[in-house]
Amino acid sequence: MTEPARPPEELGALAQRLLDDLALVTDEPGRVTRAYLSPAHGRSIELVGGWMRERGLDARLDAVATLRGRRAADAPGRGRTLLLGSHIDTVVDAGKLDGCLGVAAAILALEEIDRRGERLPFAVEILAFGDEEGVRFPSPLSSSSAATGTYRRDWLVVKDRDGVPLERALRAFGCDPAKIDEAAIDPAGVLGFLELHIEQGPRLEHWGLPLGVVTSIAGQTRMGMTVVGMAGHAGTVPMELRRDAFAGLAEIALTVERIGRQGANDLVATIGRVAVLPGAGNTVPGRVEASLDVRAGVDASRLVALDRIRHEAERIAARRGLTIAFERHVDVPTVAMDGNLQNAFAAAVASLGLDVRRLPSGAGHDAMAMARAFPSAMLFVRSKAGISHNPLEWSDPLDLGLGVEAMIRTILDLAARERAP
Ligand code: HGY
Ligand code: MN
Ligand code: MN
């Protein structure tokens, strides 16, 4: 029995309601923080798994705690599967949309396709990844890496700030690390991976457009920097005799910013986390542990900037009588999105009467891991003032609904092409 198509306004309101409910699932009451394998991650799996099951999807957890909701094909085809989804983990004090929109939109798109009486000649699997951000463990994209058979074994021994190894956290969550290989999806049976995501930047708003097709995802390097000097009494150690690790890091931070500003191809460089040790107000810092995040739309720009940062940081440390050590956590190249799937998204956007603009992504996404094994593409939804990784993150529900409708039309377009001849 078919029902009238729900307009984007209605689809957007439904998406917003799901996102509001999911945002209440947090490790930190009063703000949205949902870390990989945390109690809130567990509760989010229950909530999203319920959304899936209520809509007839077969929902299960894989060996790295990715929630997978599967809808079987209901028309003759070639026996392939279309993958949809995004991540449900968040940064600290996050917004409601980053990642979660892609999962909620995929669930609503399938629900609407069924309501419209449409049949699909391929199975659809919705993936709700638990570790895209890499906030709790330095293992970003680990869940989607498992789905593509590119999981890094060394991730299992990385520790969170409480010293808990990722492997122990997986076991405590009820997952079996010995079965991680089973999480890999055979590319031979996959039509592609589609991800709806907020832009997290200002371009679509500047262009006055609700949607945009992603061309590529910027490569990124994430490192840890440890600067060591000599802790001392803040009242007795003369300035000229100090080996102040924080003052050294501060000079390095301004150098990172200067190199970032001078770079090309959307180069960006960020120190987002700094631990000043021992951390007493009356003690000259003897040790600083900091993060370094460098990205660019062209890999050569990123690699040149990293070399310059490392060289200048070592020179600053030497001049100050400090040591500096770097530890590489992430090194992912710039990834191009699949041309055919980009065009499918573009056709859907155009069918909504919207101008089609294509843009690169400065933010990393699961699609960059999924692209290692499957044709992958992303559709962006406009972000108000380009704000993200911030509780002020917001998109107009109408834009959310247009994103869901564009996803629906893309899936139906792919279905028309996949139907057995
Ligand atoms: O950091 C990123 O680019 C993404 O939000 N994980
Ligand atoms: Mn994010
Ligand atoms: Mn994201």
Side-chain angles (χ1 to χ4, degrees):
M1 195 269 278
T2 63
E3 302 192 47
R6 291 178 290 193
E9 294 81 355
E10 193 174 340
L11 293 172
L14 289 169
Q16 187 64 61
R17 205 172 305 152
L18 294 180
L19 293 164
D20 290 343
D21 289 349
L22 184 50
L24 297 174
V25 181
T26 178
D27 289 313
E28 298 180 341
R31 62 185 197 171
V32 180
T33 301
R34 196 160 48 243
Y36 183 42
L37 303 176
S38 70
H41 181 201
R43 296 196 305 275
S44 68
I45 286 169
E46 286 168 25
L47 178 66
V48 177
W51 296 349
M52 291 177 170
R53 292 185 188 95
E54 286 157 16
R55 293 162 174 88
L57 298 177
D58 170 28
R60 67 177 181 84
L61 222 49
D62 74 11
V64 291
T66 296
L67 177 62
R68 298 186 177 191
R70 188 171 180 84
R71 175 200 191 276
D74 51 7
R78 294 191 283 179
R80 297 202 291 178
T81 297
L82 175 65
L83 304 175
L84 306 175
S86 192
H87 60 97
I88 54 175
D89 64 319
T90 74
V91 294
V92 175
D93 196 10
K96 298 181 178 180
L97 300 167
D98 178 7
C100 304
L101 170 62
V103 174
I107 290 169
L108 287 173
L110 286 190
E111 177 185 64
E112 184 65 15
I113 283 169
D114 286 341
R115 280 170 52 96
R116 295 180 189 178
E118 298 284 356
R119 296 183 178 285
L120 300 179
F122 43 66
V124 180
E125 187 155 316
I126 299 174
L127 302 158
F129 297 115
D131 188 25
E132 188 273 345
E133 299 287 2
V135 167
R136 178 181 175 188
F137 300 98
S139 56
L141 303 177
S142 72
S143 317
S144 39
S145 295
T148 53
T150 59
Y151 193 88
R152 283 176 27 190
R153 290 291 155 197
D154 63 313
W155 278 330
L156 289 174
V157 297
V158 295
K159 294 180 178 163
D160 66 11
R161 274 190 220 138
D162 299 326
V164 177
L166 199 166
E167 178 167 11
R168 191 191 315 161
L170 277 170
R171 292 188 192 286
F173 204 74
C175 294
D176 180 359
K179 295 186 175 171
I180 287 177
D181 289 344
E182 296 172 20
I185 300 169
D186 180 357
V190 170
L191 195 157
F193 172 70
L194 302 178
E195 182 173 8
L196 185 74
H197 201 289
I198 51 172
E199 179 199 346
Q200 300 178 295
R203 284 191 173 97
L204 289 175
E205 183 173 72
H206 179 67
W207 293 333
L209 292 174
L211 304 177
V213 179
V214 178
T215 53
S216 66
I217 303 174
Q220 56 175 272
T221 299
R222 296 192 201 179
M223 303 181 87
M225 294 189 292
T226 303
V227 178
V228 178
M230 172 64 84
H233 195 301
T236 59
V237 182
M239 293 305 287
E240 68 277 10
L241 297 182
R242 292 183 177 197
R243 289 194 286 132
D244 182 330
F246 175 68
L249 192 278
E251 185 176 351
I252 290 167
L254 292 176
T255 300
V256 166
E257 183 191 44
R258 174 171 48 80
I259 292 170
R261 285 178 186 280
Q262 291 167 350
N265 299 303
D266 297 322
L267 178 77
V268 286
T270 312
I271 295 178
R273 181 175 53 77
V274 178
V276 181
L277 303 169
N282 61 351
T283 304
V284 176
R287 179 185 177 92
V288 170
E289 294 170 358
S291 64
L292 175 65
D293 180 311
V294 179
R295 311 184 189 200
V298 172
D299 290 339
S301 299
R302 171 169 54 90
L303 298 175
V304 164
L306 280 164
D307 277 350
R308 282 192 61 198
I309 288 168
R310 190 170 191 132
H311 174 75
E312 298 211 20
E314 285 168 347
R315 206 172 45 75
I316 291 165
R319 173 165 44 81
R320 288 172 169 266
L322 306 171
T323 63
I324 184 167
F326 293 87
E327 187 186 357
R328 198 170 290 251
H329 297 312
V330 176
D331 222 10
V332 288
T334 299
V335 177
M337 294 289 91
D338 178 78
N340 292 328
L341 293 179
Q342 280 190 55
N343 294 338
F345 268 141
V349 172
S351 75
L352 290 166
L354 299 169
D355 288 347
V356 177
R357 289 294 290 263
R358 299 181 195 231
L359 68 163
S361 172
H365 299 287
D366 287 305
M368 65 199 307
M370 298 298 273
R372 295 174 197 153
F374 320 114
S376 298
M378 293 188 75
L379 184 64
F380 273 169
V381 175
R382 173 168 44 189
S383 293
K384 182 170 176 51
I387 295 172
S388 184
H389 284 192
N390 180 319
L392 296 176
E393 181 182 276
W394 186 84
S395 294
D396 188 320
L398 174 57
D399 291 358
L400 303 182
L402 288 167
V404 175
E405 182 59 36
M407 182 62 85
I408 291 166
R409 295 185 183 197
T410 303
I411 293 168
L412 294 178
D413 176 16
L414 294 175
R417 298 185 216 180
E418 183 83 355
R419 275 198 177 70

